[in-house]
Amino acid sequence: MGTKPQKTFSLQQLKTELYALENPARAHFQQGFFKCGPGEYAEGDVMLGIPVPAQRKVAKKYAGLSLEDVRKLLAAPEHEMRFVGLVILTALYGRADAAGKKKIANFYLDNLQYVNNWDLVDTSAPQIVGDFFFNFDRRGGAALLRKLARSKNLWERRVAIVATQYFIRMNEHALTLEIAEMLLGDEHDLIHKASGWMLREVGKRDVRALEKFLDTHKSLMPRTMLRYAIERFPEKRRKAYLKD
């Protein structure tokens, strides 16, 4: 008895499936939610209005796409195409050997200009950049994340702090605290939120390290960063930090 031939799926089939899921009413809402209007941080981003679970389902089906096809998805104007491309890329990274992980991490960094909204960063930076730098290139990775933290590009700065989530999961938080300190003076709310989020993650594992950071920097921390960082504290302690 012969074996069944393995199904192959093309990039065009993937795009056809995503377009079939398009929801104009939801897309209109997402244009506002993701700040796609003139002068906003994602100006010009194109939304199809597809829920994230549906996008992930499509990404799982096409998880065997080549890097060249993923590159085409990342370069697409539609937000959901880029999101699906990044989900596929994280899956490819997870299955790769050490050499493959290096290739995919470099591919990701070479195409960083397409990781240009907060959800795109958050769904890929820890899983690819954070993982690779932690496991294969601590010194070089830390240097690059510091460089990204000083970037004029909003999304590169967000990658710098959010990528360290992988380090936090491995119970190492020194780099997170260092980059959070570098970003204290950042003017963008999305960086305040991301930094506060990562500080809160540190606190889940080492509350004393978080408290030390807060006690040293609370007077300089943007209010949003502080609120995110202390979100899990008891109400009395939260009020004390916010009062100071």
Side-chain angles (χ1 to χ4, degrees):
M1 185 171 64
T3 58
K4 285 186 176 181
Q6 189 173 4
K7 288 184 178 180
T8 58
F9 300 101
S10 71
L11 176 61
Q12 188 54 51
Q13 285 175 301
L14 182 156
K15 289 184 174 183
T16 298
E17 287 197 28
L18 281 180
Y19 285 131
L21 295 169
E22 185 173 4
N23 183 328
R26 184 182 177 89
H28 179 74
F29 166 79
Q30 289 181 328
Q31 291 282 340
F33 183 74
F34 286 100
K35 306 299 183 185
C36 304
E40 295 182 310
Y41 59 69
E43 180 177 358
D45 207 352
V46 178
M47 297 289 170
L48 297 177
I50 306 171
V52 169
Q55 294 180 64
R56 289 192 175 275
K57 186 175 180 180
V58 172
K60 185 177 181 179
K61 180 176 178 180
Y62 291 89
L65 283 184
S66 67
L67 281 183
E68 185 53 40
D69 282 341
V70 171
R71 190 192 308 274
K72 292 174 182 176
L73 284 173
L74 296 183
E78 298 89 356
H79 186 96
E80 287 87 345
M81 296 289 180
R82 302 198 301 284
F83 185 92
V84 167
L86 289 167
V87 173
I88 292 172
L89 192 64
T90 61
L92 290 172
Y93 180 89
R95 297 194 301 269
D97 58 15
K101 289 182 187 299
K102 181 177 182 180
K103 180 179 179 180
I104 291 169
N106 287 333
F107 172 91
Y108 182 87
L109 293 168
D110 288 343
N111 290 277
L112 202 56
Q113 70 267 32
Y114 302 122
V115 188
N116 56 358
N117 213 317
W118 58 264
D119 61 324
L120 304 181
V121 171
D122 298 356
T123 202
S124 61
Q127 297 88 336
I128 298 176
V129 177
D131 181 301
F132 182 76
F133 286 163
F134 183 89
N135 291 301
F136 299 100
D137 189 12
R138 296 282 187 95
R139 181 176 295 181
L144 181 55
L145 292 180
R146 293 185 191 104
K147 180 179 178 180
L148 292 177
R150 294 189 291 268
S151 171
K152 293 181 180 179
N153 182 282
L154 164 64
W155 308 119
E156 291 184 356
R157 301 199 306 277
R158 188 166 176 112
V159 166
I161 186 65
V162 173
T164 69
Q165 186 179 30
Y166 186 90
F167 286 66
I168 300 169
R169 290 171 182 165
M170 298 295 108
N171 293 312
E172 290 194 16
H173 51 253
L175 185 58
T176 301
L177 297 177
E178 179 184 349
I179 292 178
E181 184 176 1
M182 291 176 65
L183 295 172
L184 284 172
D186 201 286
E187 296 182 353
H188 205 289
D189 187 61
L190 285 178
I191 301 301
H192 304 167
K193 291 177 179 178
S195 296
W197 169 29
M198 289 303 106
L199 289 171
R200 185 174 71 241
E201 292 299 305
V202 170
K204 289 179 182 179
R205 292 158 178 82
D206 188 343
V207 69
R208 290 185 179 179
L210 173 57
E211 289 175 335
K212 183 178 179 181
F213 183 94
L214 295 174
D215 291 342
T216 302
H217 300 295
K218 60 187 176 184
S219 63
L220 299 175
M221 290 176 71
R223 202 68 166 175
T224 298
M225 185 190 297
L226 177 60
R227 287 184 180 277
Y228 271 58
I230 64 176
E231 193 173 78
R232 291 173 59 88
F233 282 7
E235 183 179 2
K236 185 176 181 180
R237 288 174 66 198
R238 288 201 312 272
K239 287 183 176 179
Y241 273 110
L242 291 171
K243 183 179 179 181
D244 291 343

